[in-house]
């Protein structure tokens, strides 16, 4: 066996130079497959001198906040020739121009390596100026372009769900984690609705969803394109009741006494019943505040405030094991039988479902007062323009 191992070691050592040689070849090949230009890749100065202007062409007429804008770039030379900016790199056929040669900036979007732009999901950041995209040729800053892509709002959330703390939930109001605690009531919610004028949408529907101690959530839409009812779904549900505690296990049966025959073991104790599940919390209070100038707005909200589910009943305790039979006191004697196992305790009852919250409350007030004072500056500006 030792001679075989020696031969194997010799072969592996003799193959090492070849393996290393192949490895040195594989590394450049792997790098050559990359679509990213090398750090020192730069445009031909002669070509740069001929660039009269650059163009930026978005692939879509409008974009929803948070989505990506696909864009093409091209340079127009003094003789009218159009040279596109490549987004990929081939070392065997390097492109004349590449998006890496551009400086790209925007307040509302982040430039991506493939030439696209990832827009900011905050709808207010683009509400007034749209998505303003700027690009310039780094080697010739005078060759620059600015494009504005309008926002649209079809992708924004239209459904919002909130719930009270679950019973016994760690970190919640019932943070002790005790079993069978009742769920907390759903949070109180205000939904504020109004229509303002924006540079891109003549009738911009704005919905603000306010929950205590949370950031205000907004949803926007073209008011002339929304469904007449249930455009916005808002739910404030009671917290789930905590699960009941498990029943205590039965006690171990006593051991039988030694004898001839040995005494029987005692029966195991029955497991105790599981605890009752907690009651679900009540649904929260939901208020709709709509601009009196557009009274139909309240009907756009599908408001729900169901009670929380009850907690599950605790599992019954396991029955105790029967006691061991007593030992035989002599060779001719029999050992005693083991005692019977105790019965498993019954599961506890489930907690009942929480009550539904109070009826939906609807208020109509002037548009100037609908959103209160806690508004983004862009909304404040649109409100001012709409007066």
């Amino acid at each position: 066996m030792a001679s075989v191992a020696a031969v194997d070691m010799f072969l592996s050592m003799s193959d090492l130079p070849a393996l290393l040689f192949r490895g040195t070849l594989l590394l450049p090949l792997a790098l050559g497959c990359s679509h990213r230009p090398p750090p020192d890749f730069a445009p031909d100065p002669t070509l740069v001198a001929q660039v009269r202007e650059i163009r930026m062409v978005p692939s879509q007429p409008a974009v929803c906040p948070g989505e990506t804008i696909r864009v093409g770039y091209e340079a127009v030379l003094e003789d009218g020739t159009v040279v596109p900016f490549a987004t990929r790199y081939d070392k065997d056929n390097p492109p004349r121009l590449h998006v890496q040669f551009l400086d790209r900036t925007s307040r509302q979007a982040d430039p991506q390596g493939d030439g696209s732009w990832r827009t900011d999901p905050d709808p207010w950041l683009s509400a007034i100026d749209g998505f303003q995209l700027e690009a310039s040729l780094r080697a010739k800053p005078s060759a620059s372009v600015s494009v504005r892509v309008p926002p649209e709002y079809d992708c924004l959330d239209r459904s919002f769900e909130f719930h009270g703390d679950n019973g016994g939930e760690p970190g919640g109001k019932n943070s002790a984690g005790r079993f069978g605690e009742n769920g907390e009531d759903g949070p109180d919610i205000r939904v504020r609705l109004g229509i303002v004028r924006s540079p891109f949408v003549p009738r911009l529907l704005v919905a603000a969803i306010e929950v205590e101690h949370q950031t205000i959530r907004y949803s926007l839409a073209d008011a002339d394109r929304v469904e007449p009812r249930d455009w916005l779904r808002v739910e404030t549900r009671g917290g789930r009741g905590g699960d009941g505690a498990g029943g205590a296990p039965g006690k171990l049966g006593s051991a039988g006494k030694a004898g001839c025959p040995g005494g029987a073991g005692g029966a195991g104790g029955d497991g105790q019943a599981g605890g009752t599940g907690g009651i679900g919390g009540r649904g929260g209070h939901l208020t709709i505040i709509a601009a009196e100038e557009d009274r139909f707005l309240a009907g756009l909200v599908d408001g729900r405030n169901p009670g929380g589910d009850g907690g599950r009943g605790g599992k019954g305790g396991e029955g105790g094991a029967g006691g061991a039979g007593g030992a035989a006191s002599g060779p001719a004697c029999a050992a005693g039988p083991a005692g019977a196992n105790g019965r498993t305790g019954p599961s506890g009852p489930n907690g009942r479902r929480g009550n539904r919250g109070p009826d939906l409350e609807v208020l109509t007030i002037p548009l100037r007062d609908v959103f209160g004072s806690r508004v983004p500056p862009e909304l404040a500006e649109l409100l001012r323009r709409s007066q």
Side-chain angles (χ1 to χ4, degrees):
M1 294 297 293
S3 60
V4 173
V7 171
D8 287 343
M9 180 178 294
F10 174 79
L11 289 175
S12 63
M13 293 296 291
S14 63
D15 289 341
L16 186 58
L19 292 173
L20 289 174
F21 177 74
R22 284 199 294 269
T24 58
L25 289 179
L26 287 175
L27 182 59
L29 287 175
L31 292 176
C33 294
S34 172
H35 299 300
R36 298 175 63 89
D40 58 350
F41 184 49
D44 182 350
T46 303
L47 177 63
V48 171
Q50 299 178 55
V51 174
R52 184 177 69 204
E53 63 174 312
I54 61 174
R55 298 172 182 166
M56 182 165 36
V57 185
S59 63
Q60 61 259 60
V63 68
C64 200
E67 293 187 341
T68 298
I69 306 175
R70 302 292 176 186
V71 177
Y73 305 85
E74 55 191 25
V76 181
L77 306 186
E78 294 293 348
D79 62 1
T81 303
V82 176
V83 181
F85 284 80
T87 59
R88 299 168 68 87
Y89 177 78
D90 181 355
K91 70 179 184 65
D92 295 325
N93 187 25
R96 299 178 70 189
L97 293 175
H98 192 278
V99 293
Q100 177 179 287
F101 302 157
L102 297 172
D103 282 327
R104 296 181 295 145
T105 58
S106 173
R107 194 173 69 89
Q108 301 89 9
D110 292 325
Q112 306 298 298
D114 62 354
S116 64
W117 302 76
R118 183 67 178 176
T119 63
D120 195 290
D122 181 358
W124 293 118
L125 202 59
S126 54
I128 294 179
D129 296 327
F131 298 101
Q132 195 76 27
L133 313 178
E134 298 178 356
S136 63
L137 188 59
R138 188 176 301 112
K140 189 176 185 179
S142 61
S144 61
V145 63
S146 178
V147 170
R148 182 169 68 172
V149 180
E152 57 93 11
Y153 305 107
D154 290 344
C155 73
L156 298 185
D157 287 340
R158 302 279 187 261
S159 182
F160 300 86
E161 296 183 5
F162 308 90
H163 64 83
D165 292 331
N166 296 330
E169 183 178 72
K173 294 180 181 178
N174 294 322
S175 58
R178 295 187 295 270
F179 291 101
E181 291 284 339
N182 296 337
E184 295 292 335
D185 293 346
D188 293 342
I189 296 177
R190 292 185 179 91
V191 180
R192 303 175 182 269
L193 298 160
I195 294 177
V196 298
R197 183 189 306 274
S198 88
F200 308 101
V201 182
R203 285 166 41 83
L204 180 65
L205 172 60
V206 179
I209 298 90
E210 293 184 3
V211 184
E212 189 177 12
H213 304 309
Q214 294 188 26
T215 301
I216 299 176
R217 297 162 172 83
Y218 289 94
S219 192
L220 283 64
D222 185 338
D224 295 328
R225 295 174 54 189
V226 302
E227 296 294 329
R229 294 193 62 82
D230 301 340
W231 164 74
L232 186 73
R233 180 178 177 272
V234 180
E235 180 177 291
T236 170
R237 179 186 295 269
R240 182 180 176 276
D243 292 339
K251 294 182 178 180
L252 176 67
S254 59
K257 294 182 179 180
C260 189
D270 293 338
Q272 295 183 9
T276 302
I279 301 171
R282 187 187 188 195
H285 185 204
L286 186 58
T287 304
I288 298 177
I289 304 173
E292 62 184 18
E293 293 89 342
D294 298 283
R295 293 178 179 272
F296 75 94
L297 292 178
L300 299 179
V301 181
D302 176 16
R304 306 180 185 185
N305 53 357
D309 294 333
R312 294 185 295 265
K315 185 178 179 181
E318 297 287 338
S329 60
C333 300
N341 293 332
R343 294 171 297 180
T344 298
S347 295
N350 294 331
R352 67 175 176 82
R353 187 179 186 85
N355 295 327
R356 178 179 173 275
D359 291 341
L360 184 72
E361 183 179 3
V362 177
L363 304 175
T364 56
I365 60 177
L367 173 63
R368 64 176 179 272
D369 301 322
V370 165
F371 297 101
S373 58
R374 296 171 56 199
V375 296
E378 295 84 358
L379 177 54
E381 174 62 18
L382 295 182
L383 286 167
R384 186 189 66 79
R385 297 183 183 186
S386 302
Q387 296 305 311

